[in-house]
Amino acid sequence: MYYLEYMSMQMFDAHTHIDMKHFKNDRERVIQRAREAGLVGMVTSSISPASFRMTLGIIEKYKDFIFHSAGCSASQVTQQEADQIIGLTRKYSTDIVAVGEVGLDYHWVKEPRAREAQEPIFSKFIELASELNLPIVIHSRKAEARASEMLEAQFSGDVLMHCFDGDSTIAQRVADNGWYITLPANFSKYRNRVQSAKILPLEQILLETDGPYLSPTSDRNEPANIQYGCEALGKILDQTKETIGETTTMNTKRFYRL
Ligand SMILES: [Zn+2]
């Protein structure tokens, strides 16, 4: 009976960083724990040329379970690195499920000119997603309004605002645009994220860990922790965690076209 219950639970980590050094010593066990927790897949996001190459090896080993989304940190990569990532993405495009994470960071970058300097790189990745007909995953820390403006002007494909941290006005704008958001496993600690969970239709909500970051526990974050987000969202929307798991899994597969 417990076995059947366990089998009925389905979850998907829509955004994580399984290539990172935090998982170097026990990546296999982390992935095994994810399967045991009921995950049917995860999307891992590479953020540099080295991370891209590392991820190629990982998805080869875990076909049909780990999927690759290729992006960069627009505030951290050089123009040259960005071009390298774009070249790699074109070359391996059939093994890539989305462009991103990519976008604007106003949390770490405060100076107006430095903020603006991220835009050409972001634009290039938006164009890349259009060119390859791929959905795009957006990092827009404290820059949700500007990122939305740029996307509305330049992009007509599917958009996922990862680890969404906007206020209710932006949440409504995302909902109206038919875009998606992901909520991290620790999202219930943040009032604006709880509000977003109520504003967006459940069909536009995905769950992520962003592991190794944003842990809901005192330990390193990992894909198995998606269950915390699943439970929290169930409580907020008054639904069972099975329903939340199943629906967010479907949403993830729809967005990434899996
Ligand atoms: Zn991330």
Side-chain angles (χ1 to χ4, degrees):
M1 184 179 170
Y2 285 113
Y3 182 68
L4 284 175
E5 274 177 19
Y6 157 73
M7 288 306 284
S8 68
M9 190 70 192
Q10 255 196 32
M11 292 176 289
F12 210 115
D13 188 347
H15 180 99
T16 186
H17 298 277
I18 205 72
D19 67 300
M20 284 192 173
K21 62 175 189 297
H22 311 71
F23 299 114
K24 193 177 85 189
N25 295 324
D26 63 346
R27 186 171 296 110
E28 207 148 317
R29 261 174 293 153
V30 168
I31 293 164
Q32 187 53 34
R33 267 202 295 279
R35 289 188 199 269
E36 283 164 12
L39 272 76
V40 294
M42 63 179 83
V43 174
T44 190
S45 181
S46 66
I47 55 164
S48 69
S51 157
F52 189 108
R53 292 194 180 92
M54 172 89 186
T55 302
L56 286 180
I58 294 174
I59 59 162
E60 178 65 31
K61 197 168 166 196
Y62 298 97
K63 275 202 176 101
D64 298 323
F65 190 70
I66 304 185
F67 303 91
H68 185 186
S69 170
C72 76
S73 161
S75 61
Q76 280 169 29
V77 295
T78 62
Q79 186 64 58
Q80 198 192 7
E81 285 171 321
D83 289 339
Q84 273 179 40
I85 296 168
I86 289 169
L88 285 165
T89 305
R90 284 201 183 106
K91 185 169 172 196
Y92 294 98
S93 65
T94 51
D95 290 323
I96 284 168
V97 295
V99 168
E101 60 185 288
V102 66
L104 307 171
D105 195 304
Y106 289 1
H107 175 77
W108 297 109
V109 183
K110 314 261 189 225
E111 206 268 314
R113 247 178 315 176
R115 284 181 170 180
E116 230 186 285
Q118 302 174 71
E119 294 191 4
I121 290 182
F122 182 28
S123 276
K124 273 194 175 181
F125 278 83
I126 298 175
E127 279 166 26
L128 180 69
S130 300
E131 174 197 317
L132 299 175
N133 186 27
L134 286 170
I136 193 165
V137 180
I138 304 301
H139 170 104
S140 57
R141 207 158 171 207
K142 298 215 163 54
E144 291 85 4
R146 180 61 188 143
S148 299
E149 205 172 75
M150 287 176 68
L151 286 160
E152 284 161 3
Q154 284 184 56
F155 193 65
S156 57
D158 287 328
V159 174
L160 170 62
M161 305 288 267
H162 121 79
C163 197
F164 186 70
D165 196 24
D167 61 19
S168 53
T169 314
I170 300 282
Q172 191 57 56
R173 186 167 168 181
V174 169
D176 294 344
N177 283 341
W179 295 348
Y180 296 80
I181 64 165
T182 46
L183 295 169
N186 67 353
F187 84 92
S188 59
K189 287 200 297 197
Y190 304 89
R191 195 208 293 240
N192 63 328
R193 289 184 170 131
V194 171
Q195 229 175 4
S196 299
K198 294 175 183 166
I199 291 172
L200 274 105
L202 179 57
E203 283 61 39
Q204 284 164 258
I205 300 177
L206 281 53
L207 295 172
E208 70 162 88
T209 60
D210 207 17
Y213 310 115
L214 307 178
S215 191
T217 71
S218 55
D219 208 352
R220 165 196 70 176
N221 202 2
E222 62 174 64
N225 287 341
I226 207 81
Q227 54 195 318
Y228 290 92
C230 205
E231 249 185 78
L233 189 56
K235 276 189 192 136
I236 289 162
L237 300 182
D238 197 22
Q239 305 254 19
T240 64
K241 62 177 193 290
E242 285 79 10
T243 303
I244 298 294
E246 211 170 289
T247 311
T248 52
T249 294
M250 273 178 357
N251 298 345
T252 305
K253 289 182 174 173
R254 188 186 327 118
F255 174 75
Y256 288 112
R257 306 172 198 159
L258 303 175

